[in-house]
Amino acid sequence: MTSMLNAPPKLLNPGPVTLTDTVRASLSQPDLCHREPEFTTVIEAVRAGLVAVDPAVAGCVPLVLAGSGTAAVEAMVQTFVPRQDSAEGFAVVVDNGVYGARMAAMLEASGKRARVVTSAWIDGIDLDAVAAVLPGATALLAVHHETTTGRLNDVDGLARLAAAHGVPLLLDAVSSFGAEALPRVPGLVAAYASTANKCLHGITGACFVLADEALFERPSGATSVYFDLHRYRSPSSSSASVGATPFTPAVHSLYALRTALDEYATAGGRSARHERYRRHSLQIRETFAALGFRPLLPLSSTSVCLQTFWLPDGVSYAEIHDRLKDRGFVIYAGQGPLAKRTVRIAVMGDLRDDDIDRLTTALQELA
Ligand SMILES: *Cc1c(COP(=O)(O)O)cnc(C)c1O
């Protein structure tokens, strides 16, 4: 037994991710009251770091919540899809995976009408079908990186349609923000939801929405108190501090996110993270291919963040999961109909080249 085997396993699931030592150490900073100026310094650094991640969000309002990625998506959907009693109409949802379907479920749960444009999980978005239903819609909801399969959806195409029809684009960018470029289309009004603990390498507990100012000009559509982003934009005037958040924030998660955003910027920002993920994902695809695992999607349709592979006949997910865990890696199962037939490998988190080399060796030893 080498000491490496006693180290905690590296996480190859799409969040929560393996932390750097620096981010982990950032958790043991002083306890803070969120109504004190010391907290303002932390939240302001996080907000500034978030809007610097991608040029598409440079002018956006950063809204930080306590919750998992789903909380950010739900807040975005709640707030920026008008209520049926304040506007006629419907929202359009693009669904080619678990997370697109989840946004449709959010609309249904809040009593908002939706037209859902569905594609099979292994297919791309049908832009013509979206274009056909978009006129008159109050919002277009889509997933940037559909983590169900690893597909990078054509958000540039969706953004062009949204801009052409004057419909806001609400994007679940939970598993792509920080590693894949957001669409930049003139005239587009958009909001993006994501979390601290996927491509940004923070810890669970903090999530955020980056929204164009123009979205706040319509009345809030929220049918909920906690998920109404108007409250996060204008915290109660009774709070003494400008940095205040309306509800108790995930203070330690924000310590970690501030540190993770510093590391992200120092390491070269989005292009550097994209390139590192791309290299690691390519190496993993080559290793799997040599072992007879076919990729679910062609390289040109996948994100750099996560790859899905068909399990060869006679190979069970549980078996390779357990054997890789013994060798220091936690992998991820497929979902729904793909659960028993595929394996997913994400490269988010503090994974170094030598970790991927060790993974390659561990996979070769399975053969
Ligand atoms: C992980 C993920 C979510 C949900 O995040 P939770 O943190 O599990 O709530 C939403 N959308 C996408 C695309 C994701 O990958």
Side-chain angles (χ1 to χ4, degrees):
M1 287 271 150
T2 64
S3 62
M4 178 204 87
L5 293 181
N6 298 324
K10 295 283 177 178
L11 302 181
L12 304 177
N13 50 292
V17 297
T18 303
L19 304 179
T20 63
D21 292 340
T22 319
V23 168
R24 192 176 299 99
S26 75
L27 297 173
S28 52
Q29 293 180 76
D31 304 323
L32 282 187
C33 169
H34 62 293
R35 301 289 179 224
E36 297 295 320
E38 291 80 3
F39 178 73
T40 306
T41 310
V42 177
I43 185 90
E44 286 304 325
V46 166
R47 288 171 179 154
L50 290 175
V51 296
V53 163
D54 189 299
V57 298
C60 282
V61 183
L63 307 135
V64 179
L65 295 79
S68 79
T70 304
V73 176
E74 188 142 39
M76 174 175 77
V77 171
Q78 275 278 336
T79 307
F80 299 133
V81 178
R83 283 198 227 178
Q84 298 303 328
D85 61 9
S86 65
E88 274 310 305
F90 56 90
V92 171
V93 187
V94 183
D95 168 7
N96 60 345
V98 167
Y99 298 102
R102 188 175 291 177
M103 290 204 290
M106 288 170 182
L107 288 174
E108 191 180 346
S110 57
K112 294 172 180 174
R113 269 190 302 274
R115 297 198 186 160
V116 183
V117 178
T118 307
S119 312
W121 283 8
I122 56 168
D123 289 337
I125 291 173
D126 182 346
L127 286 180
D128 291 338
V130 175
V133 293
L134 205 52
T138 54
L140 173 59
L141 283 58
V143 178
H144 188 190
H145 168 215
E146 191 39 273
T147 322
T148 312
T149 54
R151 175 179 294 282
L152 195 63
N153 277 323
D154 180 4
V155 288
D156 292 330
L158 288 173
R160 280 192 293 272
L161 284 178
H165 288 88
V167 174
L169 174 66
L170 308 183
L171 202 63
D172 170 345
V174 174
S175 61
S176 52
F177 185 76
E180 295 284 2
L182 296 172
R184 290 182 77 190
V185 169
L188 176 71
V189 172
Y192 309 94
S194 190
T195 180
N197 68 300
K198 290 201 184 185
C199 304
L200 295 182
H201 303 183
I203 70 162
T204 53
C207 63
F208 52 89
V209 177
L210 298 155
D212 273 328
E213 184 80 49
L215 285 168
F216 289 99
E217 286 161 15
R218 345 195 246 195
S220 173
T223 59
S224 142
V225 172
Y226 191 77
F227 293 117
D228 182 357
L229 291 174
H230 284 244
R231 293 174 181 267
Y232 291 78
R233 176 152 187 260
S234 353
S236 109
S237 53
S238 63
S239 66
S241 159
V242 294
T245 53
F247 311 110
T248 308
V251 174
H252 287 77
S253 183
L254 295 173
Y255 273 145
L257 183 53
R258 176 177 65 175
T259 304
L261 285 164
D262 282 348
E263 288 192 334
Y264 177 84
T266 305
R270 199 196 62 216
S271 57
R273 186 140 302 172
H274 180 92
E275 178 52 25
R276 177 151 78 139
Y277 284 10
R278 193 185 67 83
R279 250 187 311 112
H280 290 171
S281 284
L282 277 179
Q283 185 173 338
I284 289 166
R285 278 177 86 98
E286 281 166 15
T287 306
F288 270 104
L291 296 170
F293 290 66
R294 282 185 303 115
L296 180 76
L297 301 175
L299 189 58
S300 57
S301 321
T302 60
S303 78
V304 295
C305 313
L306 178 141
Q307 311 293 309
T308 304
F309 302 95
W310 293 108
L311 292 166
D313 286 344
V315 175
S316 86
Y317 173 78
E319 184 190 336
I320 63 168
H321 169 273
D322 293 356
R323 289 175 66 189
L324 284 173
K325 196 167 179 186
D326 285 345
R327 289 164 173 76
F329 297 98
V330 171
I331 60 168
Y332 212 50
Q335 277 164 298
L338 299 178
K340 292 221 153 53
R341 301 171 59 206
T342 61
V343 52
R344 288 183 291 173
I345 309 283
V347 295
M348 304 164 189
D350 183 37
L351 300 172
R352 309 296 171 87
D353 292 354
D354 61 314
D355 293 316
I356 304 302
D357 290 342
R358 282 197 301 112
L359 174 68
T360 297
T361 307
L363 285 166
Q364 287 162 347
E365 283 169 7
L366 294 184

